[in-house]
Amino acid sequence: MQQPTRTVADSHDMIEVSGARENNLASVSVDIPKRRLTVFTGVSGSGKSSLVFGTIAAESQRMINETYSAFLQSFMPSLARPDVDSLHNLSAAIIVDQERMGANSRSTVGTATDAYAMLRIVFSRLGQPHVGSAGAFSFNLAEGMCPTCEGVGRVSDLDVRELVDVERSLNDGAITVPNFAVDSWYWQAFVTSGLFDPDAKLQDYTPQQWQDFLHKPATKMKVGGGNLTYEGLVVKVRRLYLSKDKEPAQPHIKAFVERAVTFTTCGDCGGARLNRAALSSLIAGRNIAECSAMQISDLAAFVRAVTDPSVAPLVANLRDLLDSLVEIGLGYLSLDRESGTLSGGEAQRVKMVRHLGSSLTDVTYVFDEPTVGLHPHDIARMNGLLLRLRDKGNTVLVVEHKPETIAIADHVVDLGPGAGPDGGRVCYTGDVAGLRRSDTLTGRHLDHRVTLRDRVRPPAGQLPIRSADLHNLRDVSVDVPLGVLTVVTGVAGSGKSSLIHGSLPRRAGVVVVDQSPIRGSRRSNPATYTGLLDPVRAAFAKANGVKPALFSANSEGACPACKGIGVIYTDLAMTAGVASTCEECEGRRFTPKVLTYTLRGRNISEVLAMSVTEARDFFPGGPARSVLDRLADVGLSYLSLGQPLTTLSGGERQRLKLAIHMGEKAHTYVLDEPTTGLHLADVDKLLALLDRLVDAGNTVVVIEHHQAVMAHADWIIDLGPGAGHDGGRIVFTGTPADLVAHGDTLTATHLREYVAQ
């Protein structure tokens, strides 16, 4: 048979990157094979994300945006062109990252995956009694939503104890709501209404006065010679601070609303979000809300029993979607779970499911540590899904540290050799076997294993948890040993976070270092966030006899042209916006006058450009040195003091938080997957840091799946045996050696394999 002729079109089988300089990339040039699975490795801060997300994916998205009309582009986010000489043979990139899904209460796992939309159509066709179209089963449409809670399933209420102090009178400041202080405009309406004695304590009001004080609707009243509109305190607070069309802007108002507003399940729909007609329609004895509340693995079985030929193609698609969610390790979720409550790893896997069913091929899929939050048992399933995406003819690019995922790569790009200015270069490209033979940091650590402790530390007491029943926990009671390193583990969805975050954070001396994002703008950096800038400014002020405010880029000393940011953001209206170095201060962020003031020969801009390592030499003692030492302890020596927080990776942000908390007087540290974003070589450094914390007399509790951390622990608490309603129980407590020798859990199986290698 004659071979088909190769054409020019067949030659574009490599993504060609030439001269990439984003962030710390040192003019990187690399070829990445298309329609293959390529894993990018290297220490945290080596430039992996800058190459994959900041260069390849960013340019792909920017070029797709440029295909739209100028009118449409004006509504799109401005994307600057990455700093790279050339990029060839790009295909459309789909980023499947760990950004948490929006906290909109109307977005659920069901709506985010389209599973609920399919379920609505099935109920509109087969549900008895018949209640109308698929829209009649939507809690986001007027025809389906419960009229009382408007489809949210909860109604807000005000905690009166947060509004008033009943032991005081109006004249004594009984109203504790912001802007209702004595003599304020709002306060005067209550005092001049004539309904109450302003010197009487609220607890002495008659039932009618109490009703009028809190709940009287807006009523016109004649007071003295004029008219006054009076409304009860609860009515007024709802109107001022809780109206749907405006979000409270001031921090103290926001804090008050968070304290005062309580949410209770809607009495009319029982939290089901739908009106009575929708809830009356049943398939096999269940309504759509009951189906949405089922664990997805159970719902998949329920859907399999629906055999009506009129909906057969739709049911087949729904079944495939639900099976994919189970396969990806999310079978413990329910379709009614709010998207905003998912962890970063769960959100990434929910997004991934949407793409598994897609008919698109020749797309570039970009993943950021897809194994985050996954037990070794679940990683094998994730690997299978990545390979399935590749086998459909897609290019799959994965930033990853776990050896199990590196092992399945067709191609590896290893960046380094170090982090920050010591990284940004390609140390190795090729297959996994070649990586093992290479003398790179990743190659040397690929088969590195942490051994079990010879001697575990004895506990100094117990931290008891009793009858925990949050989410899927089954009345769990367990003792967390004090003064040792405890690892809480189990498959994704087994109840680890529910047990620890639901029981420990409210206790005295407990500090939680979790994965929630750092609130910060382009102006925030490690120096401002850690409080390091305060002693630095004080030192500059003292050395030069001027005030400290001059040395803040957010205050008096800021360059007026760029307002202390160092770059000018230019909005080009119809095309992508551009960030350019400020010509006035040349990116130094301060006025020329401020830059004439020096400390030991360096100006403030030069100090902020220092890495943590350089700054430790520059500040040999004092409060600045102690902050810098903690940053070095958590493995952030390479960060520059003035680097914007928005450029830090997830792992870097978590370690930055840990550095701050280490300066507090805590006794118990709770860490949530601290190995996130850590290279295999850095895991050893993390374990040494955890040891230092414990040896200093602290208790460290780590929620973790990484076998190296399990092996290094003094004590293990293993939850399971499965996820969702198949989990929520303690399946093992004891030393890692006991787990390896006698355990029969999924964790035991994988830890046994790990230490035997």
PDB file of all heavy atoms in Angstrom, residues 295-320:
ATOM      1  N   GLN A 295     -24.721  11.183  47.026  1.00  0.00           N
ATOM      2  CA  GLN A 295     -23.316  11.087  46.663  1.00  0.00           C
ATOM      3  C   GLN A 295     -23.255  10.701  45.184  1.00  0.00           C
ATOM      4  O   GLN A 295     -24.041   9.870  44.723  1.00  0.00           O
ATOM      5  CB  GLN A 295     -22.657  10.032  47.547  1.00  0.00           C
ATOM      6  CG  GLN A 295     -21.158  10.014  47.457  1.00  0.00           C
ATOM      7  CD  GLN A 295     -20.527   9.265  48.606  1.00  0.00           C
ATOM      8  OE1 GLN A 295     -20.706   9.622  49.760  1.00  0.00           O
ATOM      9  NE2 GLN A 295     -19.789   8.216  48.289  1.00  0.00           N
ATOM     10  N   ILE A 296     -22.345  11.306  44.418  1.00  0.00           N
ATOM     11  CA  ILE A 296     -22.321  11.100  42.964  1.00  0.00           C
ATOM     12  C   ILE A 296     -22.200   9.624  42.600  1.00  0.00           C
ATOM     13  O   ILE A 296     -22.827   9.156  41.638  1.00  0.00           O
ATOM     14  CB  ILE A 296     -21.196  11.945  42.321  1.00  0.00           C
ATOM     15  CG1 ILE A 296     -21.604  13.426  42.326  1.00  0.00           C
ATOM     16  CG2 ILE A 296     -20.887  11.485  40.909  1.00  0.00           C
ATOM     17  CD1 ILE A 296     -20.521  14.394  41.913  1.00  0.00           C
ATOM     18  N   SER A 297     -21.436   8.860  43.382  1.00  0.00           N
ATOM     19  CA  SER A 297     -21.308   7.425  43.087  1.00  0.00           C
ATOM     20  C   SER A 297     -22.659   6.724  43.209  1.00  0.00           C
ATOM     21  O   SER A 297     -22.964   5.799  42.447  1.00  0.00           O
ATOM     22  CB  SER A 297     -20.276   6.780  44.018  1.00  0.00           C
ATOM     23  OG  SER A 297     -20.586   7.064  45.366  1.00  0.00           O
ATOM     24  N   ASP A 298     -23.505   7.169  44.181  1.00  0.00           N
ATOM     25  CA  ASP A 298     -24.846   6.589  44.320  1.00  0.00           C
ATOM     26  C   ASP A 298     -25.771   7.081  43.215  1.00  0.00           C
ATOM     27  O   ASP A 298     -26.604   6.327  42.710  1.00  0.00           O
ATOM     28  CB  ASP A 298     -25.446   6.964  45.682  1.00  0.00           C
ATOM     29  CG  ASP A 298     -24.681   6.340  46.836  1.00  0.00           C
ATOM     30  OD1 ASP A 298     -23.966   5.353  46.601  1.00  0.00           O
ATOM     31  OD2 ASP A 298     -24.787   6.852  47.969  1.00  0.00           O
ATOM     32  N   LEU A 299     -25.626   8.363  42.848  1.00  0.00           N
ATOM     33  CA  LEU A 299     -26.466   8.919  41.785  1.00  0.00           C
ATOM     34  C   LEU A 299     -26.189   8.197  40.461  1.00  0.00           C
ATOM     35  O   LEU A 299     -27.110   7.952  39.669  1.00  0.00           O
ATOM     36  CB  LEU A 299     -26.211  10.424  41.638  1.00  0.00           C
ATOM     37  CG  LEU A 299     -27.018  11.142  40.555  1.00  0.00           C
ATOM     38  CD1 LEU A 299     -28.516  11.020  40.804  1.00  0.00           C
ATOM     39  CD2 LEU A 299     -26.617  12.620  40.467  1.00  0.00           C
ATOM     40  N   ALA A 300     -24.923   7.836  40.226  1.00  0.00           N
ATOM     41  CA  ALA A 300     -24.575   7.113  38.998  1.00  0.00           C
ATOM     42  C   ALA A 300     -25.349   5.798  38.924  1.00  0.00           C
ATOM     43  O   ALA A 300     -25.857   5.410  37.861  1.00  0.00           O
ATOM     44  CB  ALA A 300     -23.067   6.857  38.952  1.00  0.00           C
ATOM     45  N   ALA A 301     -25.471   5.106  40.068  1.00  0.00           N
ATOM     46  CA  ALA A 301     -26.228   3.846  40.101  1.00  0.00           C
ATOM     47  C   ALA A 301     -27.716   4.110  39.863  1.00  0.00           C
ATOM     48  O   ALA A 301     -28.393   3.348  39.160  1.00  0.00           O
ATOM     49  CB  ALA A 301     -26.019   3.155  41.446  1.00  0.00           C
ATOM     50  N   PHE A 302     -28.229   5.205  40.435  1.00  0.00           N
ATOM     51  CA  PHE A 302     -29.643   5.568  40.253  1.00  0.00           C
ATOM     52  C   PHE A 302     -29.933   5.845  38.773  1.00  0.00           C
ATOM     53  O   PHE A 302     -30.942   5.394  38.219  1.00  0.00           O
ATOM     54  CB  PHE A 302     -29.953   6.805  41.111  1.00  0.00           C
ATOM     55  CG  PHE A 302     -31.352   7.339  40.949  1.00  0.00           C
ATOM     56  CD1 PHE A 302     -32.409   6.790  41.659  1.00  0.00           C
ATOM     57  CD2 PHE A 302     -31.620   8.397  40.086  1.00  0.00           C
ATOM     58  CE1 PHE A 302     -33.702   7.280  41.507  1.00  0.00           C
ATOM     59  CE2 PHE A 302     -32.899   8.893  39.920  1.00  0.00           C
ATOM     60  CZ  PHE A 302     -33.947   8.329  40.641  1.00  0.00           C
ATOM     61  N   VAL A 303     -29.040   6.588  38.126  1.00  0.00           N
ATOM     62  CA  VAL A 303     -29.246   6.964  36.716  1.00  0.00           C
ATOM     63  C   VAL A 303     -29.187   5.730  35.819  1.00  0.00           C
ATOM     64  O   VAL A 303     -29.902   5.634  34.822  1.00  0.00           O
ATOM     65  CB  VAL A 303     -28.195   8.024  36.292  1.00  0.00           C
ATOM     66  CG1 VAL A 303     -28.170   8.217  34.780  1.00  0.00           C
ATOM     67  CG2 VAL A 303     -28.477   9.351  36.997  1.00  0.00           C
ATOM     68  N   ARG A 304     -28.342   4.742  36.193  1.00  0.00           N
ATOM     69  CA  ARG A 304     -28.247   3.513  35.395  1.00  0.00           C
ATOM     70  C   ARG A 304     -29.585   2.784  35.310  1.00  0.00           C
ATOM     71  O   ARG A 304     -29.848   2.069  34.350  1.00  0.00           O
ATOM     72  CB  ARG A 304     -27.207   2.584  36.024  1.00  0.00           C
ATOM     73  CG  ARG A 304     -25.911   2.634  35.294  1.00  0.00           C
ATOM     74  CD  ARG A 304     -24.903   1.601  35.747  1.00  0.00           C
ATOM     75  NE  ARG A 304     -23.586   2.145  35.486  1.00  0.00           N
ATOM     76  CZ  ARG A 304     -22.908   2.893  36.343  1.00  0.00           C
ATOM     77  NH1 ARG A 304     -23.418   3.149  37.517  1.00  0.00           N
ATOM     78  NH2 ARG A 304     -21.735   3.395  36.028  1.00  0.00           N
ATOM     79  N   ALA A 305     -30.408   2.958  36.347  1.00  0.00           N
ATOM     80  CA  ALA A 305     -31.701   2.260  36.380  1.00  0.00           C
ATOM     81  C   ALA A 305     -32.761   2.958  35.531  1.00  0.00           C
ATOM     82  O   ALA A 305     -33.866   2.449  35.371  1.00  0.00           O
ATOM     83  CB  ALA A 305     -32.176   2.150  37.836  1.00  0.00           C
ATOM     84  N   VAL A 306     -32.450   4.159  35.005  1.00  0.00           N
ATOM     85  CA  VAL A 306     -33.401   4.878  34.140  1.00  0.00           C
ATOM     86  C   VAL A 306     -33.219   4.353  32.715  1.00  0.00           C
ATOM     87  O   VAL A 306     -32.222   4.632  32.059  1.00  0.00           O
ATOM     88  CB  VAL A 306     -33.151   6.409  34.195  1.00  0.00           C
ATOM     89  CG1 VAL A 306     -34.096   7.137  33.243  1.00  0.00           C
ATOM     90  CG2 VAL A 306     -33.317   6.929  35.618  1.00  0.00           C
ATOM     91  N   THR A 307     -34.207   3.573  32.251  1.00  0.00           N
ATOM     92  CA  THR A 307     -34.033   2.870  30.964  1.00  0.00           C
ATOM     93  C   THR A 307     -35.026   3.311  29.898  1.00  0.00           C
ATOM     94  O   THR A 307     -35.114   2.679  28.847  1.00  0.00           O
ATOM     95  CB  THR A 307     -34.184   1.355  31.189  1.00  0.00           C
ATOM     96  OG1 THR A 307     -35.453   1.117  31.834  1.00  0.00           O
ATOM     97  CG2 THR A 307     -33.057   0.815  32.061  1.00  0.00           C
ATOM     98  N   ASP A 308     -35.775   4.387  30.159  1.00  0.00           N
ATOM     99  CA  ASP A 308     -36.770   4.839  29.179  1.00  0.00           C
ATOM    100  C   ASP A 308     -36.075   5.213  27.865  1.00  0.00           C
ATOM    101  O   ASP A 308     -35.168   6.050  27.846  1.00  0.00           O
ATOM    102  CB  ASP A 308     -37.528   6.049  29.751  1.00  0.00           C
ATOM    103  CG  ASP A 308     -38.758   6.392  28.926  1.00  0.00           C
ATOM    104  OD1 ASP A 308     -38.582   6.728  27.740  1.00  0.00           O
ATOM    105  OD2 ASP A 308     -39.878   6.316  29.467  1.00  0.00           O
ATOM    106  N   PRO A 309     -36.491   4.616  26.730  1.00  0.00           N
ATOM    107  CA  PRO A 309     -35.792   4.886  25.457  1.00  0.00           C
ATOM    108  C   PRO A 309     -35.893   6.337  24.992  1.00  0.00           C
ATOM    109  O   PRO A 309     -35.030   6.801  24.241  1.00  0.00           O
ATOM    110  CB  PRO A 309     -36.493   3.940  24.463  1.00  0.00           C
ATOM    111  CG  PRO A 309     -37.757   3.512  25.123  1.00  0.00           C
ATOM    112  CD  PRO A 309     -37.545   3.599  26.595  1.00  0.00           C
ATOM    113  N   SER A 310     -36.903   7.099  25.469  1.00  0.00           N
ATOM    114  CA  SER A 310     -37.062   8.485  25.005  1.00  0.00           C
ATOM    115  C   SER A 310     -35.921   9.387  25.467  1.00  0.00           C
ATOM    116  O   SER A 310     -35.690  10.453  24.893  1.00  0.00           O
ATOM    117  CB  SER A 310     -38.409   9.060  25.476  1.00  0.00           C
ATOM    118  OG  SER A 310     -38.403   9.200  26.884  1.00  0.00           O
ATOM    119  N   VAL A 311     -35.229   8.985  26.527  1.00  0.00           N
ATOM    120  CA  VAL A 311     -34.110   9.814  27.024  1.00  0.00           C
ATOM    121  C   VAL A 311     -32.793   9.038  26.996  1.00  0.00           C
ATOM    122  O   VAL A 311     -31.827   9.444  27.633  1.00  0.00           O
ATOM    123  CB  VAL A 311     -34.390  10.334  28.465  1.00  0.00           C
ATOM    124  CG1 VAL A 311     -35.495  11.363  28.473  1.00  0.00           C
ATOM    125  CG2 VAL A 311     -34.701   9.171  29.410  1.00  0.00           C
ATOM    126  N   ALA A 312     -32.758   7.935  26.260  1.00  0.00           N
ATOM    127  CA  ALA A 312     -31.576   7.058  26.296  1.00  0.00           C
ATOM    128  C   ALA A 312     -30.262   7.767  25.954  1.00  0.00           C
ATOM    129  O   ALA A 312     -29.276   7.630  26.689  1.00  0.00           O
ATOM    130  CB  ALA A 312     -31.795   5.862  25.378  1.00  0.00           C
ATOM    131  N   PRO A 313     -30.195   8.573  24.857  1.00  0.00           N
ATOM    132  CA  PRO A 313     -28.904   9.226  24.558  1.00  0.00           C
ATOM    133  C   PRO A 313     -28.470  10.199  25.662  1.00  0.00           C
ATOM    134  O   PRO A 313     -27.293  10.262  26.021  1.00  0.00           O
ATOM    135  CB  PRO A 313     -29.177   9.980  23.249  1.00  0.00           C
ATOM    136  CG  PRO A 313     -30.411   9.357  22.678  1.00  0.00           C
ATOM    137  CD  PRO A 313     -31.210   8.883  23.845  1.00  0.00           C
ATOM    138  N   LEU A 314     -29.445  10.942  26.191  1.00  0.00           N
ATOM    139  CA  LEU A 314     -29.129  11.912  27.242  1.00  0.00           C
ATOM    140  C   LEU A 314     -28.655  11.206  28.510  1.00  0.00           C
ATOM    141  O   LEU A 314     -27.657  11.597  29.129  1.00  0.00           O
ATOM    142  CB  LEU A 314     -30.370  12.764  27.545  1.00  0.00           C
ATOM    143  CG  LEU A 314     -30.183  13.827  28.629  1.00  0.00           C
ATOM    144  CD1 LEU A 314     -29.251  14.914  28.132  1.00  0.00           C
ATOM    145  CD2 LEU A 314     -31.520  14.436  29.013  1.00  0.00           C
ATOM    146  N   VAL A 315     -29.358  10.137  28.891  1.00  0.00           N
ATOM    147  CA  VAL A 315     -28.981   9.388  30.092  1.00  0.00           C
ATOM    148  C   VAL A 315     -27.591   8.771  29.923  1.00  0.00           C
ATOM    149  O   VAL A 315     -26.795   8.730  30.865  1.00  0.00           O
ATOM    150  CB  VAL A 315     -30.046   8.312  30.420  1.00  0.00           C
ATOM    151  CG1 VAL A 315     -29.518   7.318  31.455  1.00  0.00           C
ATOM    152  CG2 VAL A 315     -31.317   8.974  30.935  1.00  0.00           C
ATOM    153  N   ALA A 316     -27.275   8.336  28.709  1.00  0.00           N
ATOM    154  CA  ALA A 316     -25.937   7.772  28.457  1.00  0.00           C
ATOM    155  C   ALA A 316     -24.857   8.826  28.689  1.00  0.00           C
ATOM    156  O   ALA A 316     -23.818   8.549  29.308  1.00  0.00           O
ATOM    157  CB  ALA A 316     -25.863   7.238  27.032  1.00  0.00           C
ATOM    158  N   ASN A 317     -25.104  10.053  28.208  1.00  0.00           N
ATOM    159  CA  ASN A 317     -24.134  11.139  28.426  1.00  0.00           C
ATOM    160  C   ASN A 317     -23.997  11.472  29.906  1.00  0.00           C
ATOM    161  O   ASN A 317     -22.893  11.693  30.411  1.00  0.00           O
ATOM    162  CB  ASN A 317     -24.568  12.400  27.664  1.00  0.00           C
ATOM    163  CG  ASN A 317     -24.326  12.276  26.175  1.00  0.00           C
ATOM    164  OD1 ASN A 317     -23.550  11.439  25.747  1.00  0.00           O
ATOM    165  ND2 ASN A 317     -25.008  13.093  25.384  1.00  0.00           N
ATOM    166  N   LEU A 318     -25.151  11.525  30.604  1.00  0.00           N
ATOM    167  CA  LEU A 318     -25.131  11.842  32.038  1.00  0.00           C
ATOM    168  C   LEU A 318     -24.384  10.750  32.801  1.00  0.00           C
ATOM    169  O   LEU A 318     -23.584  11.044  33.699  1.00  0.00           O
ATOM    170  CB  LEU A 318     -26.568  11.993  32.558  1.00  0.00           C
ATOM    171  CG  LEU A 318     -26.741  12.234  34.057  1.00  0.00           C
ATOM    172  CD1 LEU A 318     -25.955  13.463  34.513  1.00  0.00           C
ATOM    173  CD2 LEU A 318     -28.219  12.400  34.414  1.00  0.00           C
ATOM    174  N   ARG A 319     -24.628   9.510  32.412  1.00  0.00           N
ATOM    175  CA  ARG A 319     -23.966   8.387  33.084  1.00  0.00           C
ATOM    176  C   ARG A 319     -22.450   8.472  32.884  1.00  0.00           C
ATOM    177  O   ARG A 319     -21.674   8.286  33.828  1.00  0.00           O
ATOM    178  CB  ARG A 319     -24.515   7.085  32.511  1.00  0.00           C
ATOM    179  CG  ARG A 319     -24.241   5.850  33.366  1.00  0.00           C
ATOM    180  CD  ARG A 319     -25.007   4.653  32.859  1.00  0.00           C
ATOM    181  NE  ARG A 319     -24.656   4.351  31.472  1.00  0.00           N
ATOM    182  CZ  ARG A 319     -25.544   4.179  30.495  1.00  0.00           C
ATOM    183  NH1 ARG A 319     -26.829   4.283  30.737  1.00  0.00           N
ATOM    184  NH2 ARG A 319     -25.144   3.894  29.262  1.00  0.00           N
ATOM    185  N   ASP A 320     -22.017   8.776  31.650  1.00  0.00           N
ATOM    186  CA  ASP A 320     -20.573   8.910  31.382  1.00  0.00           C
ATOM    187  C   ASP A 320     -19.953  10.024  32.215  1.00  0.00           C
ATOM    188  O   ASP A 320     -18.842   9.886  32.741  1.00  0.00           O
ATOM    189  CB  ASP A 320     -20.333   9.200  29.888  1.00  0.00           C
ATOM    190  CG  ASP A 320     -20.599   7.980  29.016  1.00  0.00           C
ATOM    191  OD1 ASP A 320     -20.713   6.872  29.578  1.00  0.00           O
ATOM    192  OD2 ASP A 320     -20.713   8.151  27.785  1.00  0.00           O
TER     193      ASP A 320
END
